[in-house]
Amino acid sequence: MKAYRVQGLSCSNCAAKFERNVKELPGVQDAKINFGAAKIYVNGDTTVEDLEKAGAFENLKIREEREKKIERPPFWKQKENISVYISALLVLLSWGLRTQYSEEHIIPTVGYAAAILIGGYSLFIKGVKNLSRLNFDMNTLMTIAIIGAAILGEWGEGATVVILFAISEALERYSMDKARQSIESLMDIAPDEAFVRRNGKELVIRVEDIQIGDTMIVKPGQKLAMDGIVTKGISTLNQAAITGESIPVTKTVEDEVFAGTLNEEGLLEVKVTKRVEDTTLSKIIHLVEEAQAERAPSQAFVDKFAKHYTPAIVIIALLIAIIPPLLFSADWSEWVYEGLAVLVVGCPCALVVSTPIAIVTAIGNAARKGVLIKGGIHLEEAGALKAIAFDKTGTLTKGIPTVTNIVTFGGKEVELLAMTAAIENGSKHPLATSIVREAEKKDINFGSIQVDNFQSITGKGVKAVVNNEIYYAGSPALFKELHQTIEKRIDIQIKKLQTEGKTVMILGTANEIQMLIAVADEIRESSKEVIRSLNNLGINTVMLTGDNQETANTIGKQVGVTSIEANLLPEGKLNFIKRLRNAHNSVAMVGDGVNDAPALAASTIGVAMGSAGTDTALETADIALMSDDLNKLPYTINLSRKALQIIKQNITFSLAIKLLALLLVVPGWLTLWIAIFADMGATLLVTLNSLRLLRVKE
C-alpha cells in the first residue's frame, strides 16, 4: 500500500466518507484511512489529483508521504473561513435593519436567507445527499434544523445557527491541526539532503537518493540526514529529537548515530547504514502514526455509542415535534421548533472528538520527549497500572558489571584468572564478559589456553575441559549441587561478599573450589528517584533478578523497591509476572526488550529501555523509552493518567451538556440559540481540554 498525507481532515465522519470515495476510484483495490495521523493508505494505481477529487467535498489537500507539508495561509485567512465572515456580516446588517423594519419584513429576511446560503452552502449539499441515503450525521441534522427554522419563519435563528456551526467546524479543524503538529514536526527534524562522498566525489544529494555505504560529511551545527556509523572524527551530538535526552552525547569512531540529531562541535564522517525509510527517526514517525490508528477502549465505546446515538436523537426530535400537538392539542409550530432544536443539540460533534483528539495530543507529546506509546490502548492501560516489575541488570543498574574482589584458595591468582577468562570467553553473559575484561585489563594472556567441550549450564554457569580436567565456573548454587556442601570458611567469605551487594562466581572442579570472583553492577543515578516517584504515585515496584537473595536485597534496598524477587531464571520471571497480574490486574514489565521478551509479553504493558536503534525493542515493546532514562517512566504514567482523566471529563461533559439542554424541552425553553451554543460550546471545551495534554511536562 502507498501512503499519502491528508490536509484539512477534521472529523471522523469526513474521514470515513473520504475513504469510501477513494475505494470507488478506478484502479483502487482498497484504501484505509488513519484519522489521527491524517494519512490514507491506498492499494492500487491512483494519482494525487484523483485523491483530491475524492476529497473535494471537504476541500482536502493530498501529498505523497515524504513530501513536505503544503504551507497553508494563517487560520484567519483560510478560504473555508471567508464565507463565515461574509455570513456574519450579513447577519449583523440584518439585525440592524430589524430596528428600522419589522421582524417579518422582506429586507432583513433576504439578508438572513443570503447568510444561510453563503455560510451553509457546503453544509446543505452534504446534508441533502446524506438525507437521500438516510445517513443521519451532524450535517444531516443541521440541514433539517436550518430548513425547518426557515419554514417556520425563524430566519434570524437559522442564519445564526449556520454561522455558529461554521465557527465550530473551523475551531475543530484548527484544534486537530494543532494536535497533529507535534507529530508533523517530527518530519522536519532531519534535513532533506546531505553532503555525501561517493566514488571519491563530494556532492549534495537528496536523502531519497543516498545509498547504504555512502559517506556523509557532517559539519558542526548541521543535522544528520541518515543513520550510520562514525568512521572519522569526534564530536558531541544532541540526540534530544530521538531519545529525549537533554545532555549531548560524545560520539567517535565506530559509534552509531541517528538521523535528526545535531552535530554540535567537530567534523564527522559517517558511513550510511540504513535507507531513509528505515532510519530510526522514520520508524519513530511510522510507529507514532500507526499508534494513532489503534483505537483506545474509550474511543471504541464512543464510536459504538455514537452509531446508535444519532438515529436515536432523530427519533426523539420527531416524537417531540408530533406527540404534544397530536395528543395534547399543543401548537404545531412551537413543538416542531422544539424538535428542530433537539436535532441541533443532538449533534454528536463533541462526543465524537472527545477521545481521538486527546489520544493524538498525548501520543504526540510523548514522542517529542523520547517516549513511544504504540497505541491508544497502551496509553489508557499505562494510566491504570497498579504494579511495575523491573529487570535489575541494565534497567535499575547500568548493566556493566565489573570485578571487585578475587579470593584464591591454594593457587596463583594470575593462572586461575587466566583459566576462568579462557572458559568464560565462550559465553556472552555479562558476568562472563566482566571477567574477560578484568583479565584483559591486567594484560593476562588467556588466548593460548586450550578449552574443550564448552557447555553452558542454564542459569547456573558453564563447564569446560582444560588440561584434561573438567572445570566449572558459576554460581554458589552450582557448587552446592556438585559438592553437596561448601566448606564453612569459603561459605562465610561468599556470604560476606553477597551482603555487600556483589554477585559471587566460583571457579573449581567437582572436588574443590579454587577461586571466588565478586562482581558488582553499578546502580543508575536515576533509579532511586524514579522508584520513589512511582511509589508516591501508589504503584507497587518489584525488582526481578537472577542474582542470589542477599545481593538482590542489598540492591533492592538501595533503590527502594516495594518487593524483591531473586534467583529467577527467564521462566521464573514469566511465572512471577503472571502471578503479579492475577494480584494487580494491570502490570508493566520494564526490560531491554530482548532478553526479557517472555515476561514483557506476559505483562499488561511491556516497556523497553534504551530503544534507540534497537529494532527488536521498537517492535516488541508496547511503550519504548528511547534513551536509557528511567525518569521518562513517571512522566509517562502521569501523562497517561492525565489523558484518562481528560477523556473521562470530555465524555461526561459532552453527554451531560446535551442531557441538560434536552431537559429544557420539558418547559419548552429550548431554542435554536441555546442548542447551537450547547453543541458548539461542548465541542470547543472538549477540544481545549484535550490540548492541555500538550502542556504535560517531565
Side-chain angles (χ1 to χ4, degrees), residues 248-261:
V249 179
T250 301
K251 297 285 184 178
T252 186
V253 176
E254 296 299 317
D255 285 340
E256 188 177 13
V257 290
F258 309 110
T261 56

Side-chain angles (χ1 to χ4, degrees), residues 58 121 271 276 336 472 474 556 675:
E58 197 70 11
Y121 174 76
K271 182 182 176 183
V276 65
V336 167
Y472 295 84

Side-chain angles (χ1 to χ4, degrees), residues 342-420:
V342 168
L343 283 182
V344 174
V345 84
C347 278
C349 305
L351 186 64
V352 169
V353 301
S354 61
T355 302
I357 196 168
I359 287 168
V360 168
T361 306
I363 289 175
N365 183 3
R368 290 187 62 79
K369 290 181 172 63
V371 179
L372 292 187
I373 303 173
K374 293 169 64 177
I377 186 168
H378 307 307
L379 176 72
E380 289 197 12
E381 284 174 339
L385 285 174
K386 297 291 188 295
I388 300 179
F390 294 85
D391 176 49
K392 177 184 77 73
T393 306
T395 303
L396 293 175
T397 64
K398 290 183 177 178
I400 308 173
T402 54
V403 174
T404 58
N405 304 77
I406 295 175
V407 182
T408 59
F409 303 100
K412 291 183 180 179
E413 182 180 312
V414 172
E415 291 175 2
L416 293 173
L417 184 58
M419 189 188 300
T420 311

